[in-house]
C-alpha cells in the first residue's frame, strides 16, 4: 500500500458515448456548493457534490472518441460476476506521477486500473493546474488528455476554487485542511475485449474544508464512477468517464468528528494502491 493523495460538470448532448461532466459549481455533480444548507442527501451534494468526488475532477468535458462504442468485437453485455474478496495479486510495481501504472492486460488489470485512477482523479491534485495537467496525461489517452486540458482549466477557475475555499492556485487558507478523497468499495466489469473495457467503481467520497470556521465542512457521499478504458502503449488508459449517485447505504448513528480530528486523520492516514 502506498500513501495516497487527498483530488464539474454540465451534461453534453447524447452522442452515443459515455457522458462526462465538468465542474459547474459542484465538482461532483451536485448542487451549487454555497448557499443555504439542505437536509440529508441534498446537502451532501451541495458540499461540492461531495464528491463525485471528486472527481472532481472529473467531469471532464469528455465525450470519448467513439471508437469503443463502434467496435464490433464480442463484448459482455452484463456485468461480470466477481468475487467480493480481492485476489491478493499485486496490481503493479511502477508509478507515474505518484499514480500506479502498468496494469495487466486482463479484466482484473482493468479493474485495478480504474480503481486507482478514480483515487487519483478524486484527489486534491485535481485542484492545482500543474498536477491536474500531469494526471490527465498520465491517466487518459493522448487524444482525450489533449481534448480535456482546456475545458478542465476553465472548470477549475479562480471563482470555482474560491467557492471551495481555496486560493487562485488551489491552496487552502493557513490553518485549514482541504479534503478530497475517493475511497473505492468495489468494482465490476461491464464490458471487456482485448482492446477496450468498461469498468464501474463504487466508492465513498470525502470532500470539504476542515477548520473551525468553515461553512463547508468535510462530508461524505456515495457514487459510482464508470470508466471507458483503452489498452494503449502497454497500459489501460481512460477514453471517457461518467458518474452517478449511489448506491448509498442508510446513514449510521456515528458522531461527527471535529474539524481538528478530521485534519489530523487526513494527515495521519494515507491511501492505498488498490487491486482486484
Amino acid at each position: 500500500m502506498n500513501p495516497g493523495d487527498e483530488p464539474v460538470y454540465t451534461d453534453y448532448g447524447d452522442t452515443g458515448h459515455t457522458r462526462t461532466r465538468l465542474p459547474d459549481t459542484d465538482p461532483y455533480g451536485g448542487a451549487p456548493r454555497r448557499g443555504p444548507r439542505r437536509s440529508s442527501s441534498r446537502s451532501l451534494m451541495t458540499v461540492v457534490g461531495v464528491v463525485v468526488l471528486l472527481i472532481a475532477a472529473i467531469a471532464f468535458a469528455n465525450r470519448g472518441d467513439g471508437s469503443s462504442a463502434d467496435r464490433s468485437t464480442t463484448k459482455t453485455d452484463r456485468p461480470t460476476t466477481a468475487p467480493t474478496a480481492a485476489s491478493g495479486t499485486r496490481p503493479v510495481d511502477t508509478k507515474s506521477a505518484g499514480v500506479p501504472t502498468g496494469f495487466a492486460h486482463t479484466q482484473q488489470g482493468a479493474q485495478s486500473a480504474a480503481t486507482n485512477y478514480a483515487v487519483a482523479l478524486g484527489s486534491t491534485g485535481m485542484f492545482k493546474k500543474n498536477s491536474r495537467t500531469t494526471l490527465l496525461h498520465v491517466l487518459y489517452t493522448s487524444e482525450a488528455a489533449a481534448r480535456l486540458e482546456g475545458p478542465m482549466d476553465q472548470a477549475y477557475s479562480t471563482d470555482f476554487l474560491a467557492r471551495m475555499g481555496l486560493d487562485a492556485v488551489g491552496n487552502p487558507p493557513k490553518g485549514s485542511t482541504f479534503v478530497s478523497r475517493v475511497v473505492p468499495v468495489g468494482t465490476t466489469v461491464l464490458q471487456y475485449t482485448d482492446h477496450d473495457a468498461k469498468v464501474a467503481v463504487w466508492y465513498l467520497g470525502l470532500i470539504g474544508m476542515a477548520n473551525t470556521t468553515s461553512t463547508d465542512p468535510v462530508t461524505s457521499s456515495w457514487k459510482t464512477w464508470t470508466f471507458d478504458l483503452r489498452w494503449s502503449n502497454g497500459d489501460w488508459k481512460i477514453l471517457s468517464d461518467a458518474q452517478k449517485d449511489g448506491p448509498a447505504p442508510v446513514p449510521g448513528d456515528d458522531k461527527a468528528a471535529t474539524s481538528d480530528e478530521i485534519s489530523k486523520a487526513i494527515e495521519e492516514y494515507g491511501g492505498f494502491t488498490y487491486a482486484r
Side-chain angles (χ1 to χ4, degrees):
M1 55 181 75
N2 302 301
D5 297 322
E6 297 295 278
V8 281
Y9 327 70
T10 41
D11 289 337
Y12 284 84
D14 188 359
T15 61
H17 309 304
T18 300
R19 294 182 301 170
T20 311
R21 305 158 114 183
L22 281 173
D24 241 351
T25 53
D26 180 346
Y28 309 120
R33 186 165 176 76
R34 298 286 181 181
R37 285 272 179 198
R38 299 183 183 180
S39 61
S40 65
S41 61
R42 174 59 65 181
S43 63
L44 293 180
M45 295 175 67
T46 299
V47 190
V48 153
V50 141
V51 196
V52 161
L53 217 218
L54 288 237
I55 281 155
I58 270 196
F60 304 119
N62 224 12
R63 302 168 72 174
D65 62 4
S67 54
S68 62
D70 297 332
R71 285 185 172 274
S72 58
T73 46
T74 302
K75 295 184 178 181
T76 302
D77 294 328
R78 296 182 179 180
T80 302
T81 300
T84 55
S87 68
T89 301
R90 186 176 179 80
V92 293
D93 295 310
T94 57
K95 282 190 173 184
S96 296
V99 181
T101 55
F103 294 92
H105 193 185
T106 62
Q107 288 196 36
Q108 180 174 305
Q111 291 180 78
S112 295
T115 303
N116 286 284
Y117 294 172
V119 171
L121 291 171
S123 72
T124 55
M126 289 299 294
F127 293 81
K128 297 183 177 182
K129 179 175 174 56
N130 290 341
S131 55
R132 179 172 64 248
T133 298
T134 297
L135 286 173
L136 290 178
H137 287 277
V138 167
L139 307 182
Y140 286 78
T141 62
S142 57
E143 295 81 2
R147 183 176 64 250
L148 290 173
E149 191 171 344
M152 288 297 288
D153 287 344
Q154 293 177 12
Y156 287 88
S157 65
T158 300
D159 287 343
F160 171 72
L161 294 176
R163 287 195 292 274
M164 299 294 292
L166 304 170
D167 65 18
V169 295
N171 293 317
K174 184 177 181 180
S176 300
T177 300
F178 179 58
V179 180
S180 185
R181 282 198 186 188
V182 162
V183 185
V185 176
T187 64
T188 187
V189 176
L190 303 176
Q191 295 177 348
Y192 185 84
T193 72
D194 285 341
H195 305 289
D196 302 283
K198 181 186 287 289
V199 179
V201 179
W202 179 35
Y203 72 89
L204 168 67
L206 302 175
I207 193 166
M209 190 71 73
N211 66 34
T212 56
T213 61
S214 175
T215 57
D216 292 314
V218 180
T219 58
S220 62
S221 70
W222 293 84
K223 305 282 182 179
T224 298
W225 206 338
T226 301
F227 293 90
D228 283 306
L229 303 174
R230 164 70 48 77
W231 184 255
S232 176
N233 296 322
D235 203 359
W236 291 107
K237 299 291 184 179
I238 305 171
L239 282 173
S240 62
D241 51 283
Q243 298 196 54
K244 66 179 182 180
D245 295 337
V250 176
D253 297 323
D254 304 293
K255 179 181 178 181
T258 65
S259 59
D260 287 342
E261 290 173 325
I262 291 295
S263 295
K264 184 177 180 181
I266 290 299
E267 294 171 358
E268 294 183 346
Y269 296 91
F272 300 90
T273 294
Y274 290 86
R276 157 52 74 189

